[in-house]
Amino acid sequence: MRPTLYEFAGGEPAFLALAAAHHARCLADPELNHPFSHPGQHPQHVERLAAYWAEVLGGPPLYSRERHGDQTGLIAMHSGNGEMTDLARRFVECFVLAADDAGLPTDPEFRAALRAYMEWAVVEFTAYPDHDTRPPDGLAVPHWSWDGLR
């Protein structure tokens, strides 16, 4: 049986490294740095991001179990920011490069699954660009596998 993406990546330490590397790349990006450097950011942003990505990609439900929030709240937090096509593209590219920075496995199928997840995720997170739109209540944290959304 094939391991989950989470297991294949290296578990919790790998996702902490990925989240930290992604955060650093976004801070260094001239367009993405603003949302990643604002003063109201949660002090455990990197750890929460790591827990979220780990849960989505087959790890334990730490993000949802620790009550960091739910999918609806997470999407709502990122909504109302207008059209973000270029920011979404940049976000994906930072994610792909952060996988290198974090030392994640370079297996082509694994990397394709990570990229496919993030490309799907940015569509989900940018689906509500207007201040007067909101995602539906009760969205569950998605689960992504080697074959895509489960």
Side-chain angles (χ1 to χ4, degrees):
M1 178 169 205
R2 198 175 209 183
T4 65
L5 295 167
Y6 170 81
E7 294 164 337
F8 192 84
E12 185 178 354
F15 280 88
L16 282 168
L18 177 61
H22 184 260
H23 187 81
R25 283 205 170 263
C26 289
L27 284 173
D29 183 278
E31 299 295 324
L32 290 171
N33 67 5
H34 173 69
F36 280 82
S37 62
H38 67 81
Q41 191 169 84
H42 194 282
Q44 280 87 38
H45 170 73
V46 169
E47 292 82 2
R48 291 162 58 113
L49 181 59
Y52 176 77
W53 283 342
E55 183 171 339
V56 168
L57 296 169
L62 295 178
Y63 182 84
S64 58
R65 186 176 59 209
E66 298 295 325
R67 308 253 189 265
H68 294 305
D70 62 11
Q71 189 71 5
T72 296
L74 200 53
I75 291 175
M77 180 189 333
H78 293 87
S79 66
N81 294 311
E83 204 56 47
M84 298 180 54
T85 306
D86 190 52
L87 287 180
R89 180 192 59 76
R90 294 170 89 99
F91 190 87
V92 170
E93 290 308 311
C94 283
F95 181 78
V96 168
L97 293 170
D100 291 336
D101 299 343
L104 297 188
T106 59
D107 175 82
E109 284 184 77
F110 173 71
R111 291 300 184 95
L114 287 181
R115 182 180 200 99
Y117 159 68
M118 191 51 69
E119 288 172 344
W120 172 85
V122 296
V123 170
E124 292 294 304
F125 279 84
T126 60
Y128 303 91
D130 302 320
H131 288 287
D132 60 345
T133 59
R134 181 170 162 76
D137 290 332
L139 294 176
V141 171
H143 294 101
W144 196 267
S145 73
W146 293 89
D147 300 316
L149 186 63
R150 292 188 286 138

